[in-house]
Amino acid sequence: MSLSTSGTLRRFFRRAARSFSPRALILLYHRIALSSPDPQLLCVTPAHFGEHLEALRKYGNPIALRSLLPALQNRQLARRAIVVTFDDGYADNLHHAKPLLERYDVPATVFVTSGYVGSEKEFWYDDLERLLLQPGILPETLQLNLNGSLHQWQLNGAVHYDKDSYCSYAGWNISRQDNPTPRHELYRSLFQTLLPLPDKQRRNLVDDLLIAAGMETSGRPTYRVFSPGEMIKLTDGALVEVGAHTVSHTILSTLSTAEQAEEISQSKARLEEILGHRVTSFAYPHGGRSHYTDETVAAVRQAGFDCACAAFPGIVRRATTERWQLPRFLVRDWDGQEFARRLSQWFRS
Ligand SMILES: [Zn+2]
């Protein structure tokens, strides 16, 4: 046998072994809603979500997160197994997602930020969108006192933001390079300034901005997290389960070990208190590799969870994947055809 033939055979067997080894993928959604603009690309429309579920049933085998690891361990994983998850706990997960999950009989896990349950507050990044990217009038200057130093932003001709501008830029999002108006530039700048801060400080700063602009600090009803009753309703029927996602959605790697442990264990305790049963899974806020540390993983294990989800892409395989950092593929507002194309691409990866 020539060297090149043996190389080809090796590649063939490696590919074959890969295609026969158990593998699953976990999808990450946030909101099922029609919201515009959507600068963080968090929304999938109910129509598109229905198309996604149809594609999941046609091309995959949807399973619950709690069944994934036992199925992998017992080598009983269905081919093309797919787990659906949602992060944050937006109430639209009950009102828009659950009826569709039931229609297609697709199980899901919703990771809930416990400190927002029953609160009228929006997440701070949604407040920034409400402040800057909705039509209205803002002061000439917005300022923040950040740890003793004053940051000022001039609106430079974008004090008035009319309906036409709002409609023209409704498709803008933070992943784009351009800032079509000073308001978009300010949104980006404030987002980056506030992202690494502890939630309490960030909350106060965003409230100051809203008050300076003459806006309510309580949020829009369509942007809120579940009430306790809604969370219980979500889990009725056992198709949807709740996982924990910290108390305040602060980036865990910015906190001390003790503060991380508190965020993790208190979110679990609060959700269990409401639901009356054990919460077994956790998802790291933001979920990139820089957003948590080895200490975070240890705290999650210590708190008594069975598994934890990250937010970097990857296939779940028996040998290569850790149950404490399960990879997930972020899903965007694609139509069913594009979603099916992505699924097949992800399974080949
Ligand atoms: Zn989150």
Side-chain angles (χ1 to χ4, degrees), residues 30 79 88 107 116 185 193 260 300 317:
H30 291 87
R79 255 178 76 79
D88 300 339
Y116 282 78
E185 199 178 331
T193 306
Q260 293 189 44
V300 170
R317 292 191 184 91

Side-chain angles (χ1 to χ4, degrees), residues 1-69:
M1 186 189 291
S2 75
L3 267 180
S4 72
T5 314
S6 80
T8 309
L9 273 178
R10 229 184 355 257
R11 275 195 300 278
F12 170 78
F13 282 118
R14 211 181 299 139
R15 250 201 319 271
R18 212 166 49 213
S19 64
F20 289 118
S21 68
R23 56 213 328 253
L25 60 85
I26 308 178
L27 304 177
L28 166 52
Y29 291 89
H30 291 87
R31 305 192 59 195
I32 303 302
L34 265 167
S35 281
S36 153
D38 181 17
Q40 299 294 329
L41 294 171
L42 297 180
C43 296
V44 171
T45 65
H48 282 163
F49 187 57
E51 292 174 22
H52 294 188
L53 295 177
E54 200 176 325
L56 283 188
R57 275 271 156 241
K58 201 164 162 190
Y59 303 112
N61 276 302
I63 63 164
L65 180 62
R66 64 173 177 274
S67 310
L68 174 64
L69 291 165

Side-chain angles (χ1 to χ4, degrees), residues 100-111:
L100 289 163
L101 291 164
E102 283 174 333
R103 186 187 305 167
Y104 291 95
D105 194 27
V106 172
T109 296
V110 177
F111 294 104

Side-chain angles (χ1 to χ4, degrees), residues 233-292:
K233 241 187 214 164
L234 180 78
T235 58
D236 276 354
L239 189 65
V240 183
E241 65 181 340
V242 161
H245 196 42
T246 71
V247 176
S248 72
H249 209 271
T250 302
I251 294 176
L252 288 167
S253 55
T254 66
L255 300 177
S256 70
T257 309
E259 288 168 332
Q260 293 189 44
E262 214 162 277
E263 282 276 348
I264 293 162
S265 61
Q266 283 186 6
S267 68
K268 187 176 193 286
R270 174 74 181 127
L271 298 175
E272 289 178 346
E273 182 191 12
I274 296 168
L275 294 169
H277 62 74
R278 196 174 154 242
V279 168
T280 59
S281 54
F282 179 83
Y284 304 99
H286 301 278
R289 290 181 199 274
S290 64
H291 299 131
Y292 60 92

Side-chain angles (χ1 to χ4, degrees), residues 23 49 98 119 127 131 133 143 145 161 170 191-192 202 225 232 272 274 300 307-308 314 320 336-337 343 346 349:
R23 56 213 328 253
F49 187 57
K98 193 185 178 192
S119 160
D127 274 328
L131 176 76
L133 304 181
Q143 59 184 43
N145 189 332
Y161 193 59
F191 180 78
Q192 277 150 8
R202 191 163 60 193
V225 164
I232 292 167
E272 289 178 346
I274 296 168
V300 170
C307 65
T320 58
Q337 210 175 359
L343 272 187
W346 292 334
S349 63

